[in-house]
Amino acid sequence: MLNANNQYDRLIYDEWFGLFPYHIRTQLNSKAEVRQFKAGESIFVLGQVDSWMGAILSGRIRICLHSNTDKEMLISMVERGEMFGERTVFDGMPRSGDAIAQEDTTCLLFYRDDIVPAMYSCPETMMYVIRILCNRAVRYLNTMELFAMQNVPTRLANFLLFLGDKYGREENGKIPLKINLSQTELSQQIATSRESINRQIKGFIEKGLITMENGEITLTDVPGLKKLCQVAVSD
């Protein structure tokens, strides 16, 4: 059974958790709460007020926004070993987006009353975390610009390159995407219809930008996708 103690070693390698001294990591770990979420389950929603952040022990979640018509805009995907939800712990403000389990996911939750004192005791770690949060804010703004300024082919090309960077590994000049996303899920991630995604994927295949076999997409022309991303014309 998963618990905070037997999952502690996974946190040592986190991008900022590992900067804490051993005794502080141990204290934080002993106070953490294990939570499990089913695929599709909401973890938190826009406007929710709470005071914890999470470390993913297994599974994957997506951070996103939803329109009034329930169209989804992907902000980021968070993987095993990564943290999410830090901002509300530090500024006390409501959640600025939704977090949804992409698959069955287990998290360790760390609460503000434990994290903030640990930060004050380690100024170097605090400054490093601030830099991480600033970098994420820039990335989120870039995502918002992508949706506001670019057309569907450009958004799809950007998203495929994002998936390739995060989940793929180059093999003979090609990048198979090691993540299963249906066309419906792809359409949700770039805020368009499934029909539109279907047309764009067929077009990308005809141009030799990608291939698809058994639902798995492979990026076959990364320079071509990057060139397409330079187009910034609205629909």
Side-chain angles (χ1 to χ4, degrees):
M1 180 177 179
L2 287 167
N3 58 61
N5 289 327
N6 63 28
Q7 297 300 327
Y8 162 70
D9 60 314
R10 299 193 185 190
L11 299 178
I12 296 176
Y13 306 102
D14 178 75
E15 60 181 347
W16 63 268
F17 232 97
L19 297 177
F20 283 112
Y22 177 84
H23 71 281
I24 292 181
R25 288 202 305 266
T26 303
Q27 291 172 4
L28 289 172
N29 186 71
S30 68
K31 297 176 181 178
E33 175 188 353
V34 177
R35 290 282 302 277
Q36 296 180 317
F37 301 93
K38 295 293 185 181
E41 184 177 351
S42 174
I43 298 172
F44 59 70
V45 297
L46 176 69
Q48 183 174 323
V49 178
D50 48 28
S51 58
W52 59 264
M53 63 186 194
I56 298 184
L57 300 179
S58 65
R60 175 187 299 126
I61 72 169
R62 65 183 188 271
I63 307 296
C64 53
L65 294 172
H66 288 91
S67 70
N68 291 335
T69 57
D70 206 33
K71 284 188 176 181
E72 182 176 296
M73 179 174 70
L74 178 73
I75 301 299
S76 66
M77 299 286 283
V78 190
E79 302 289 329
R80 186 179 73 176
E82 297 179 340
M83 306 293 294
F84 68 99
E86 300 99 319
R87 182 197 55 77
T88 193
V89 169
F90 298 121
D91 66 14
M93 300 296 290
R95 299 292 187 185
S96 55
D98 302 334
I100 301 170
Q102 185 74 12
E103 55 190 59
D104 289 353
T105 299
T106 300
C107 302
L108 279 181
L109 307 189
F110 299 89
Y111 290 88
R112 176 183 175 85
D113 289 346
D114 301 317
I115 289 290
V116 171
M119 287 292 179
Y120 277 120
S121 70
C122 303
E124 291 185 1
T125 299
M126 180 186 293
M127 292 304 300
Y128 188 76
V129 171
I130 289 172
R131 287 196 294 271
I132 291 174
L133 295 178
C134 289
N135 288 336
R136 288 185 182 178
V138 170
R139 187 166 70 245
Y140 294 168
L141 287 173
N142 289 340
T143 299
M144 298 294 286
E145 180 183 14
L146 171 68
F147 280 85
M149 303 294 292
Q150 297 183 345
N151 58 23
V152 173
T154 306
R155 297 206 301 268
L156 178 59
N158 266 292
F159 187 60
L160 291 176
L161 288 170
F162 161 78
L163 293 177
D165 183 59
K166 191 157 189 177
Y167 304 108
R169 178 176 296 178
E170 185 174 342
E171 301 175 4
N172 300 319
K174 302 177 181 180
I175 304 178
L177 300 184
K178 303 300 183 181
I179 180 173
N180 294 320
L181 287 176
S182 67
Q183 291 192 16
T184 297
E185 290 171 321
L186 279 173
S187 68
Q188 291 172 341
Q189 307 317 315
I190 65 170
T192 189
S193 67
R194 186 186 182 284
E195 292 74 16
S196 179
I197 282 292
N198 184 266
R199 289 195 301 270
Q200 297 303 328
I201 287 178
K202 287 181 179 178
F204 280 18
I205 292 174
E206 291 173 358
K207 293 176 181 177
L209 298 172
I210 65 173
T211 60
M212 177 180 285
E213 185 174 352
N214 298 322
E216 182 177 285
I217 294 175
T218 296
L219 310 186
T220 53
D221 184 2
V222 171
L225 289 169
K226 290 182 177 178
K227 184 177 180 179
L228 184 58
C229 289
Q230 297 172 0
V231 179
V233 180
S234 299
D235 287 334

